[in-house]
Amino acid sequence: MKTSRIPGFYNKTVEERRELLTAMESFTEDEMDILFSKEPLPTETADKMIENVIGTFPLPLGLGLNFLINDKEYTIPMAVEEPSILASASHIAKIVREAGGFTAESSERVMIGQIQVVGCTDFAEAKETILQEKDALIDAANASYPSLMARGGGAEDLEVRVLNESSDSQYGQMLVLHVYINTCDAMGANIINTMVESLAPTVEKLTGGKVYLRILSNYPDRSLAKARCVIPPELLATNDFSGEAVRDGVIHAYEFAASDPYRAVTHNKGIMNGIDPIVIATGNDWRAVEAGAHAHASRFGKYGSMTVWSKDNKGNLVGELELPMSVGTVGGSIRVHPMAKISLKILGVETARELAQVMVTVGLAQNLGALKALATDGIQKGHMALHSRSVAIAAGATGEMIDIIAERLVNEKEIRVGKAKELVDEYTK
Ligand SMILES: CC(C)(COP(=O)([O-])OP(=O)([O-])OC[C@H]1O[C@@H](n2cnc3c(N)ncnc32)[C@H](O)[C@@H]1OP(=O)([O-])[O-])[C@@H](O)C(=O)NCCC(=O)NCCSC(=O)C[C@@](C)(O)CC(=O)[O-]
Ligand SMILES: NC(=O)C1=CN([C@@H]2O[C@H](COP(=O)(O)OP(=O)(O)OC[C@H]3O[C@@H](n4cnc5c(N)ncnc54)[C@H](OP(=O)(O)O)[C@@H]3O)[C@@H](O)[C@H]2O)C=CC1
């Protein structure tokens, strides 16, 4: 049976890790070629993906381990440049699996397409007319993308708002239609844009106004994914801190983020440390996910914490994260980038909803990893120890010198490039 619990994976060489992975997954020869290739994204493919291509920009791809979500094992491909993220996520996943694992859920995948109408003579009447024609408009949207309905998705609902109704508003009045569209396993931006563009002439006719924007919203608040963990305090104890002290420190850290936007931004950056690398590894649109996540963090009128940490009546630490997730397992560049296909295979997700659940779970784990470190030893101890290798490389260390210099930086508690340069000079004399 597949397990993501691989103790000491990080102590192995890259070759040994690849052997372990290929023993776990049944890769085809083509997939193996891509996985072991020096150029997993061929320049010819890159040249078809964006404009003005001059090359590709590789990132490290690692595996987040130990994840048990809804009783299913996940090894999680994460593409990111920052050290300690994978270690931290795996560290928390190891603790949570001892507590029974994470639970996660997601709502129906309902994305939003917006249509902006200006210049109506009577906005209230225009709104009424649109609502009377709601079913016909939904049918028309579906007729413009029949394959989506055939898959069980399609436009499902329509709402209308009038913005800037007040006469003292500094902006002009406008009607905004929200078409709610189930995009199945696609993120859906292009699908939605096609559908809302097709409605524009009818909407103009019905309202007597002029349609300007016809575009998806990157805040799909009907497409939410949620993750949760419940951790007995004893699993949180460290050499120097009791489990209760760690739990209380995490809750205090959450309350800081919940009450102060300056802290919330950093707190939430730590959450996105877990989410973005999966979004990137699976070929999804990280700008869309980032934009939606931060909008959700502001939904109560003030920017706040994306996660909630509390204590239940048994004294367990309870963590929750809910975010909108515009991600897919098909569409965009997902089936174009060879590594994205392999990442999805390693992840073993069946649907976009399952992918969203995994992403929010790793975001929750990542947040706890950072808060546990911050509320105890401080971030520098674990993070900078792992960052020391990048510092050594930046100072000019190569080959076996990298680990030797990194270790000395950690032992001498001076993890900075200037110090590393001195050590490189000493080593190469
Ligand atoms: C780094 C740890 C995990 C060490 O923590 P530790 O307690 O020394 O870990 P451990 O040695 O007990 O190992 C426990 C497990 O962690 C994993 N693990 C342990 N070490 C490694 C490694 N080298 N490579 C890969 N995996 C590792 C591994 O799964 C291991 O299990 P095992 O396999 O041994 O059975 C801990 O100090 C930590 O989580 N620190 C926080 C790091 C962090 O949050 N980094 C994010 C970057 S900082 C930032 O950008 C965000 C921030 C902080 O500003 C957000 C905020 O302010 O909220
Ligand atoms: N604001 C934003 O976020 C914007 C983002 N984008 C970009 O749009 C891209 C995503 O758009 P998206 O519409 O998802 O991608 P696509 O345009 O690639 O559309 C998805 C395709 O997947 C096919 N498909 C196959 N299986 C399924 C399935 N199970 N469920 C759904 N579709 C399936 C559909 O084929 P078929 O035709 O046979 O139905 C459809 O053509 C991203 O690259 C994003 O960066 C673009 C504009 C704006």
Side-chain angles (χ1 to χ4, degrees), residues 5-11 17 63 65-66 82-95 238 253 263-271 273 365-374 377-386 389:
R5 175 81 195 106
I6 315 174
F9 190 68
Y10 53 95
N11 289 323
R17 290 183 204 134
L63 292 182
L65 296 179
N66 306 326
E82 190 176 359
S84 87
I85 286 179
L86 283 96
S88 184
S90 307
H91 170 67
I92 296 303
K94 182 180 169 188
I95 293 173
T238 70
R263 172 58 204 154
V265 173
T266 323
H267 177 98
N268 292 342
K269 184 272 184 187
I271 293 167
N273 272 347
Q366 203 72 53
N367 183 224
L368 181 55
L371 297 189
K372 180 170 178 268
L374 288 166
D377 299 317
I379 198 71
Q380 296 301 70
K381 189 175 169 201
H383 174 65
M384 287 306 274
L386 292 170
R389 292 177 298 190

Side-chain angles (χ1 to χ4, degrees), residues 145 147 151 183-191 216 218 285 330-332:
Y145 217 107
S147 55
R151 279 198 182 90
T183 56
C184 299
D185 290 312
M187 178 267 198
N190 295 323
I191 295 176
L216 85 153
N218 281 115
D285 182 337
V330 294

Side-chain angles (χ1 to χ4, degrees), residues 43-195:
T43 308
E44 310 85 73
T45 310
D47 192 33
K48 304 284 178 282
M49 290 172 71
I50 63 162
E51 311 74 39
N52 299 348
V53 166
I54 53 160
T56 56
F57 185 91
L59 278 175
L61 180 72
L63 292 182
L65 296 179
N66 306 326
F67 278 89
L68 186 65
I69 309 170
N70 294 339
D71 295 323
K72 181 171 168 181
E73 298 276 354
Y74 290 93
T75 39
I76 304 191
M78 299 172 76
V80 68
E81 87 296 345
E82 190 176 359
S84 87
I85 286 179
L86 283 96
S88 184
S90 307
H91 170 67
I92 296 303
K94 182 180 169 188
I95 293 173
V96 175
R97 72 185 284 130
E98 282 182 54
F102 295 90
T103 51
E105 58 185 90
S106 51
S107 54
E108 282 298 322
R109 279 188 56 71
V110 184
M111 307 291 286
I112 301 171
Q114 294 193 297
I115 302 176
Q116 177 200 30
V117 195
V118 304
C120 304
T121 3
D122 183 336
F123 279 92
E125 194 186 313
K127 177 177 172 179
E128 237 1 85
T129 311
I130 292 289
L131 288 175
Q132 275 163 17
E133 294 300 318
K134 177 173 158 172
D135 290 345
L137 284 164
I138 289 174
D139 289 348
N142 283 326
S144 74
Y145 217 107
S147 55
L148 198 58
M149 264 195 106
R151 279 198 182 90
E156 295 177 347
D157 196 7
L158 189 149
E159 278 180 359
V160 193
R161 289 178 300 148
V162 180
L163 302 188
N164 310 324
E165 272 182 291
S166 150
S167 56
D168 58 4
S169 169
Q170 61 173 314
Y171 306 114
Q173 223 174 345
M174 62 187 78
L175 201 68
V176 176
L177 279 69
H178 277 196
V179 187
Y180 292 95
I181 302 169
N182 177 345
T183 56
C184 299
D185 290 312
M187 178 267 198
N190 295 323
I191 295 176
I192 295 165
N193 297 343
T194 306
M195 292 172 89

